[in-house]
Amino acid sequence: RHRQRYVEKDGKCNVQHGNVRETYRYLTDIFTTLVDLQWRFSLLVFILAYAVTWLFFGLIWWFIAYCRGDLEHLEDHAWTPCVNNLNGFVSAFLFSIETETTIGYGHRVITDKCPEGIVLLLLQAILGSMVNAFMVGCMFVKISQPNKRAETLVFSSHAVVSLRDDRLCLMFRVGDLRDSHIVEASIRAKLIKSKQTQEGEFIPLDQTDLSVGFETGDDRLFLVSPLIISHEIDERSPFWDVSRHQLEKDDFEIVVILEGMVEATGMTCQARSSYLADEVLWGHRFAPLLTLEEGFYEVDYGGFHQTVPVPTPACSARQLVAAAARRDAHLYWSIPSRLDQQ
C-alpha cells in the first residue's frame, strides 16, 4: 500500500499550510518573507522596489519643475530653474535615478535657488540608502543560504536491521561528497507513526525520538568519510517488539536529520531524508567503502547504497534478549551438574 511521505527523500517536507487567516503576521517579518520567496518573485520585488521609487521621485521632480514654471522657461538663460537641463518627465526620471544611485551629476544638476528641491534631494538620498540596504541585504542572505550545501550530503537509499555485538540495530549510512567538511555535525532520527492513546485519542503522525547516541555522544559526527549511524533496538526503542514479519506489515516513516556548520561560510546547514517501512531491509548490512591506498584512504561512493545479506534472527529484540537469557541460565545450571557427574 502506497504511503504518503512526511519528508521526501530529498529532504523536502511534504506539508502545506492552508486556511491561514492571520496573514498579517507575514508582513510583520517582511524581511524573512522576502527571503523565503521563490527566486522569480524575489527578483520581481527587487526590480519593482527600485523602479517604483525612481518613478515616484521622478514624478515629484517633474511636478516641482512644472509648478515653478521651469518647463516654460527652457530657453530663458536668465531663469534659474530648480534643476538645470530638466526639460520633461524623462529627464526628471533620469535625474531621479542619478540621485538615488549616486551616479554623479553631469548634465543635470540641482541649483541652490530651490529649497523644496534640496529637501526632496535629502529625502530621496536617505530613502534610497534604506532601499539599497534592505534589498541588497535580502538578496545577499538569499544567495548565501546554505540550502545547496545539503545537496552534497547523501543518505543511503535504504536502512537495514542486523546484529551488532549480538544486539539488533537499525542502521543507515550518511556521507559528505565535498572535501570541505561540515563542522560540529550532529544527527537525529525520529519515528513518524500514527497512534491511539489509551483514552481513545487518535494522534496522526506522532513523533518519537530514536536514540542514535545522544547519551554517549555518538550523535556528534566527524564526517570525513561515510559513517553508519546505528540505533540500538533495546527496551526503550519503539522497535523493541517488532519482528521481521511485523516490520513487513507495519506502517511508519523514519526521518533522519543531519545538522552542522558549513566550514567555508560558518552558516548552519541541515539535510534531511526519510525511510518508509518497505525501505528498511531486515537481515542486511552495508558494504564497506573505505580502502587503504598508498598514503591515503579512498572512499568508493559507487557502493554507497549497496547492502549485503547477513544471517539475522527474524524474531524481535525482546524475544532475542529473552532467548539469550534462557541460554545463559541453562549454561549456568548445567555446568555444576556436569562437575557432579565427574
Side-chain angles (χ1 to χ4, degrees), residues 13-312:
C13 295
N14 199 14
V15 177
Q16 295 184 3
H17 300 283
N19 197 22
V20 179
R21 299 183 179 181
E22 298 178 347
T23 54
Y24 67 90
R25 295 180 180 271
Y26 294 104
L27 298 178
T28 57
D29 187 13
I30 187 64
F31 186 84
T32 305
T33 301
L34 293 177
V35 172
D36 289 340
L37 288 176
Q38 298 181 5
W39 265 108
R40 57 179 178 269
F41 297 116
S42 295
L43 292 175
L44 179 62
V45 172
F46 185 84
I47 294 172
L48 288 178
Y50 285 101
V52 169
T53 54
W54 293 340
L55 287 171
F56 174 74
F57 282 101
L59 182 62
I60 297 180
W61 285 113
W62 174 84
F63 182 73
I64 291 176
Y66 176 80
C67 292
R68 294 182 79 255
D70 294 343
L71 301 180
E72 299 175 358
H73 298 80
L74 295 177
E75 303 299 332
D76 188 357
H77 298 286
W79 180 266
T80 303
C82 184
V83 179
N84 289 329
N85 301 306
L86 193 151
N87 52 20
F89 177 74
V90 175
S91 59
F93 175 69
L94 294 175
F95 180 74
S96 175
I97 296 176
E98 295 173 0
T99 300
E100 189 165 330
T101 58
T102 63
I103 292 176
Y105 303 104
H107 188 62
R108 283 171 293 272
V109 61
I110 190 172
T111 63
D112 57 357
K113 303 299 183 181
C114 182
E116 61 272 23
I118 295 175
V119 174
L120 181 61
L121 180 67
L122 295 175
L123 291 177
Q124 186 172 5
I126 296 173
L127 183 61
S129 299
M130 296 174 62
V131 171
N132 284 331
F134 188 82
M135 297 310 303
V136 172
C138 286
M139 297 303 294
F140 176 78
V141 171
K142 192 170 183 64
I143 292 173
S144 60
Q145 280 183 320
N147 296 341
K148 295 301 180 182
R149 179 63 176 89
E151 298 293 333
T152 52
L153 297 173
V154 292
F155 297 86
S156 57
S157 58
H158 291 81
V160 299
V161 175
S162 61
L163 289 175
R164 262 194 174 185
D165 296 328
D166 291 332
R167 294 180 178 272
L168 275 180
C169 295
L170 172 71
M171 294 170 284
F172 58 92
R173 182 147 59 187
V174 298
D176 188 1
L177 302 180
R178 288 190 181 273
D179 292 332
S180 60
H181 308 306
I182 296 294
V183 182
E184 296 292 334
S186 62
I187 191 78
R188 291 182 292 145
K190 285 187 174 292
L191 175 67
I192 309 296
K193 184 178 181 180
S194 301
K195 76 170 187 178
Q196 190 170 5
T197 64
Q198 297 179 359
E199 295 78 15
E201 178 188 4
F202 178 74
I203 304 178
L205 303 177
D206 181 63
Q207 300 185 13
T208 305
D209 279 329
L210 297 178
S211 175
V212 289
F214 177 77
E215 297 85 357
T216 60
D218 292 337
D219 62 324
R220 295 188 289 274
L221 310 179
F222 183 48
L223 196 58
V224 177
S225 60
L227 299 176
I228 297 177
I229 309 302
S230 176
H231 163 67
E232 182 179 328
I233 303 178
D234 53 15
E235 60 275 4
R236 297 173 298 175
S237 171
F239 296 105
W240 176 240
D241 293 310
V242 177
S243 64
R244 179 173 185 173
H245 180 66
Q246 292 172 318
L247 180 68
E248 295 173 351
K249 300 186 300 181
D250 211 342
D251 187 15
F252 61 84
E253 181 176 355
I254 299 173
V255 176
V256 293
I257 305 168
L258 175 63
E259 293 180 324
M261 289 190 302
V262 181
E263 187 179 38
T265 62
M267 301 186 70
T268 303
C269 172
Q270 183 181 96
R272 298 180 293 266
S273 188
S274 68
Y275 303 97
L276 298 179
D278 56 359
E279 294 172 342
V280 179
L281 304 179
W282 190 287
H284 281 70
R285 180 184 300 162
F286 288 107
L289 303 177
L290 201 63
T291 57
L292 177 60
E293 302 296 334
E294 186 66 28
F296 62 93
Y297 293 95
E298 182 177 359
V299 179
D300 181 13
Y301 277 96
F304 182 82
H305 303 284
Q306 183 180 357
T307 62
V308 293
V310 292
T312 304

